[in-house]
Amino acid sequence: MSTPEITTTGCRDCGAHVSGLNGRYACGVCGWVNHWAEGSNTLPTAADDPDYPGPDAV
């Protein structure tokens, strides 16, 4: 897993300056969020989580 990059853009709804990680944004002014697939890298899977119990957990 790589180190996240801090990225910035203007909010698409209200124009506020927003920062996010790897192209994923959430505006604290109006609540706008961009679609998860618009980021600049692949999101980790559940199996990448060190606390993931695995498929055999019940």
Side-chain angles (χ1 to χ4, degrees), residues 1-57:
M1 194 177 283
S2 64
T3 303
E5 179 183 347
I6 297 174
T7 54
T8 59
T9 192
C11 174
R12 294 181 194 160
D13 283 351
C14 72
H17 181 83
V18 293
S19 297
L21 296 176
N22 297 331
R24 293 178 176 88
Y25 304 105
C27 180
V29 177
C30 72
W32 167 83
V33 296
N34 68 329
H35 190 269
W36 62 268
E38 293 179 14
S40 61
N41 66 355
T42 304
L43 290 170
T45 65
D48 295 327
D49 184 344
D51 297 324
Y52 179 65
D56 298 331

